[in-house]
Amino acid sequence: MWHEARKQERKIKGMMVDYKKRSERRRLYYHRIKADPTQFLRLQGVACKVYVEEDAAEIENVASALMPWQGDRSNMIDRFDVRANLDIIPEPGGIMISTEIGENAVIDQKCQYERWRTLATNDLVGLSVCLFVCHRTWYNRKEPGLMPP
C-alpha cells in the first residue's frame, strides 16, 4: 500500500518539476522575443523596370496622397512608401554639436560620457547587459546610495 503511495508521490513530484521547468523555458522565450516590432522588420527588394504612365503619375502625385518624409516638405513621398517606416538617419560624417547652452548642456554631456564609458567598459570586460544590471541591483540593495565598483 505505501509502495503505491510513494510511487504516486514520485510521479506527482516529477510532474511538478517538469511543469516548473516548462514554465521557466516559456518565460525565457517570451522575454527573449519581447521587443520593438520594428526591429523585426525585414526588407527585400527586386530589380524591376519602371514604365512611366503619365495618367497614373498625375493621379498618384496629388497632394492628398503624399506626405513629407522626415518632416521635410520639399521631399514628399507616397504614404505607402516604405521610407515612412524608417527612423531619421543623420547625415554621415557630421559632428554632433550641442545647441544647448548653460547648465543643462554640461549635465547632458556628463551623462552621455558616463553612459558610453560604462558600455565600453562592460564590452571590454565581456560583461553582458543582463549581468551588469543584476550586479548593480544587488549592490544597490546591499549598499543603498553607493555606486558599485
Side-chain angles (χ1 to χ4, degrees), residues 21-38:
K21 286 180 182 177
R22 182 172 177 248
S23 69
E24 180 66 20
R25 283 194 311 264
R26 190 174 347 134
R27 186 186 64 78
L28 288 174
Y29 170 76
Y30 285 125
H31 180 71
R32 196 172 34 238
I33 66 169
K34 183 177 69 174
D36 185 21
T38 58

Side-chain angles (χ1 to χ4, degrees), residues 7-17:
K7 184 178 176 183
Q8 190 67 22
E9 184 180 329
R10 270 190 255 135
K11 183 178 178 183
I12 291 174
K13 189 173 184 179
M15 288 172 48
M16 288 174 55
V17 168

Side-chain angles (χ1 to χ4, degrees), residues 9-75:
E9 184 180 329
R10 270 190 255 135
K11 183 178 178 183
I12 291 174
K13 189 173 184 179
M15 288 172 48
M16 288 174 55
V17 168
D18 289 343
Y19 286 143
K20 186 181 262 188
K21 286 180 182 177
R22 182 172 177 248
S23 69
E24 180 66 20
R25 283 194 311 264
R26 190 174 347 134
R27 186 186 64 78
L28 288 174
Y29 170 76
Y30 285 125
H31 180 71
R32 196 172 34 238
I33 66 169
K34 183 177 69 174
D36 185 21
T38 58
Q39 290 188 0
F40 299 114
L41 183 66
R42 298 290 183 255
L43 303 177
Q44 182 177 353
V46 178
C48 64
K49 195 169 188 175
V50 177
Y51 296 99
V52 178
E53 295 181 25
E54 297 295 328
D55 298 333
E58 286 179 21
I59 293 171
E60 290 176 2
N61 289 333
V62 294
S64 63
L66 298 178
M67 62 182 271
W69 185 48
Q70 296 181 348
D72 184 10
R73 290 243 173 239
S74 65
N75 190 2

Side-chain angles (χ1 to χ4, degrees), residues 62-125:
V62 294
S64 63
L66 298 178
M67 62 182 271
W69 185 48
Q70 296 181 348
D72 184 10
R73 290 243 173 239
S74 65
N75 190 2
M76 302 293 279
I77 61 171
D78 183 25
R79 65 179 185 198
F80 300 111
D81 196 331
V82 72
R83 289 178 289 178
N85 294 326
L86 296 176
D87 291 334
I88 294 176
I89 303 168
E91 291 295 323
I95 299 173
M96 293 178 58
I97 299 172
S98 178
T99 56
E100 298 178 22
I101 22 179
E103 189 177 323
N104 288 341
V106 174
I107 292 172
D108 286 345
Q109 286 177 351
K110 286 181 181 178
C111 288
Q112 288 290 350
Y113 172 77
E114 287 298 321
R115 176 185 299 148
W116 292 107
R117 184 180 68 87
T118 304
L119 289 174
T121 304
N122 290 344
D123 191 37
L124 181 68
V125 175

